[in-house]
Amino acid sequence: MYLRIAGFSYLLTGITQPMMTVIKATDHPKQTAKISSCTVLLNIILNAVLIFGLFGVPRMGVAGAAIATLISRVFELVWVLATLRKPGYVSLPLNKLLERNRLLSRDFFKTMYPLVGAGLFWGVGFVSYSAFMGHMGTDAVAANSVASVVRDIICCLCDGLAGGGGVLVGNELGAGHLETGRLYGNRTTILAYIIGFVSTLLMLALTPLVVSVVRLTPAASDYLYGMMCIMAFYMIGRAVNTVVINGIFAAGGDTLFDMYSLAVTMWGIAVPLAALGTFVFHWPPLLVYAFTCLDEVGKIPWVMIHYRKYKWVKDLTREF
């Protein structure tokens, strides 16, 4: 029932997200933040109203959650389309949507295909990690669920820096200011390390509080404490790699490195070790969990070596 209704929202998301990227990349990141925040807030309110039947609305349960998601995505699309029609924004005339330029298409797909491959590697890899933890028992699954929520919240810092840094670097590279783009890249990388260490300290500081607040079994609480400590050091790698790879490298069109690095570190090292520990050697859950976090930390030297080659310092634009 849920997917039958909410499935239409995925189509709308596929339309709005590229448009939101255009808005953000053209020096209007505040507008995208406003749209996203209001959409999430609307979704939360509609979920409460439709699921529980508040304010005289019929109680719909799961169907209400799906309808809330769909309405929120329609709201988001309408707002994005209205925004693009304002002065100072890049308009998207409908009569131009079907026009095709072979040269630009080739440039686009050359950059896009590695990103799609990297996304598949990343997504399937994280599903595999969850599957491994699922074989460790209910206590490990519960602890991993809580730890993942805390991780995702703290990762908002590095995700935001990656998006903002990518826009700054990309704008300078696209304007032909390669040295300025390199300078912004260097400064953004320094900020990435700072955010990484701050995230590590924040994770360590929150560990006792999270463990004491969440109601878990004693075994699950022990697992959660260990996972949070492991994840604290993982956050350094996550911050640096997210900002450098998803922000700086992507701004210069150097997207193939991400796919290669995931193929080697995640699928060549982390996933096999975690799988062996789960199904063959039956290692303790915390050791298996540590291996699932190994790829981000182990990737830092490789990422920085590639960064210093400055292959990402290039202008992707063309003149006609």
Side-chain angles (χ1 to χ4, degrees):
M1 173 64 74
Y2 180 86
L3 290 178
R4 287 178 182 176
I5 301 173
F8 293 101
S9 70
Y10 304 147
L11 174 62
L12 300 180
T13 301
I15 297 173
T16 56
Q17 288 306 307
M19 294 181 180
M20 294 269 277
T21 302
V22 171
I23 295 173
K24 181 170 59 177
T26 51
D27 291 335
H28 300 288
K30 289 183 179 180
Q31 183 67 12
T32 61
K34 185 189 300 183
I35 295 173
S36 298
S37 300
C38 291
T39 301
V40 171
L41 182 60
L42 177 63
N43 196 5
I44 293 173
I45 295 173
L46 289 177
N47 267 281
V49 172
L50 297 179
I51 291 175
F52 302 108
L54 304 180
F55 307 112
V57 176
R59 186 171 183 174
M60 299 181 185
V62 174
I67 294 173
T69 299
L70 181 57
I71 293 175
S72 300
R73 291 306 178 188
V74 172
F75 168 80
E76 182 181 51
L77 176 60
V78 172
W79 195 347
V80 168
L81 291 174
T83 299
L84 289 173
R85 297 180 64 86
K86 294 180 179 180
Y89 290 84
V90 177
S91 62
L92 298 174
L94 294 179
N95 62 336
K96 298 291 185 180
L97 291 180
L98 298 179
E99 289 188 8
R100 183 173 180 269
N101 183 287
R102 288 187 176 183
L103 191 58
L104 290 179
S105 296
R106 187 184 67 184
D107 291 343
F108 175 76
F109 288 115
K110 183 180 178 181
T111 305
M112 184 200 71
Y113 282 137
L115 287 174
V116 174
L120 289 174
F121 280 153
W122 178 274
V124 178
F126 263 81
V127 170
S128 301
Y129 292 160
S130 299
F132 297 151
M133 298 310 300
H135 283 79
M136 294 290 171
T138 56
D139 289 331
V141 172
N144 182 53
S145 299
V146 177
S148 297
V149 172
V150 179
R151 177 199 64 204
D152 292 342
I153 293 175
I154 296 181
C155 280
C156 291
L157 294 172
C158 61
D159 292 341
L161 180 60
V167 171
L168 289 174
V169 174
N171 282 347
E172 294 301 323
L173 296 179
H177 308 150
L178 301 186
E179 287 304 316
T180 305
R182 184 202 296 251
L183 175 63
Y184 284 0
N186 292 336
R187 291 177 176 176
T188 304
T189 302
I190 294 173
L191 286 175
Y193 277 99
I194 295 174
I195 291 294
F197 284 110
V198 169
S199 299
T200 295
L201 296 176
L202 186 59
M203 184 69 74
L204 292 174
L206 288 176
T207 296
L209 177 63
V210 172
V211 173
S212 63
V213 169
V214 179
R215 297 181 60 182
L216 297 172
T217 65
S221 296
D222 292 339
Y223 287 149
L224 177 59
Y225 193 92
M227 289 177 180
M228 295 279 287
C229 292
I230 293 170
M231 200 187 306
F233 296 97
Y234 159 90
M235 294 303 300
I236 299 175
R238 175 67 181 270
V240 174
N241 295 330
T242 298
V243 172
V244 175
I245 295 176
N246 297 343
I248 298 173
F249 288 174
D254 190 5
T255 56
L256 194 59
F257 175 81
D258 190 16
M259 189 173 69
Y260 285 156
S261 65
L262 287 170
V264 174
T265 58
M266 176 177 276
W267 286 98
I269 300 175
V271 170
L273 286 175
L276 288 173
T278 302
F279 301 110
V280 178
F281 300 112
H282 305 290
W283 289 331
L286 288 180
L287 182 57
V288 174
Y289 184 81
F291 281 122
T292 64
C293 298
L294 182 64
D295 58 317
E296 291 288 358
V297 178
K299 198 161 56 177
I300 292 180
W302 190 13
V303 169
M304 296 315 301
I305 290 173
H306 186 79
Y307 176 87
R308 290 299 176 184
K309 294 178 181 179
Y310 293 110
K311 292 183 178 180
W312 54 272
V313 183
K314 57 185 177 183
D315 183 358
L316 298 178
T317 63
R318 292 185 180 273
E319 293 187 14
F320 295 90

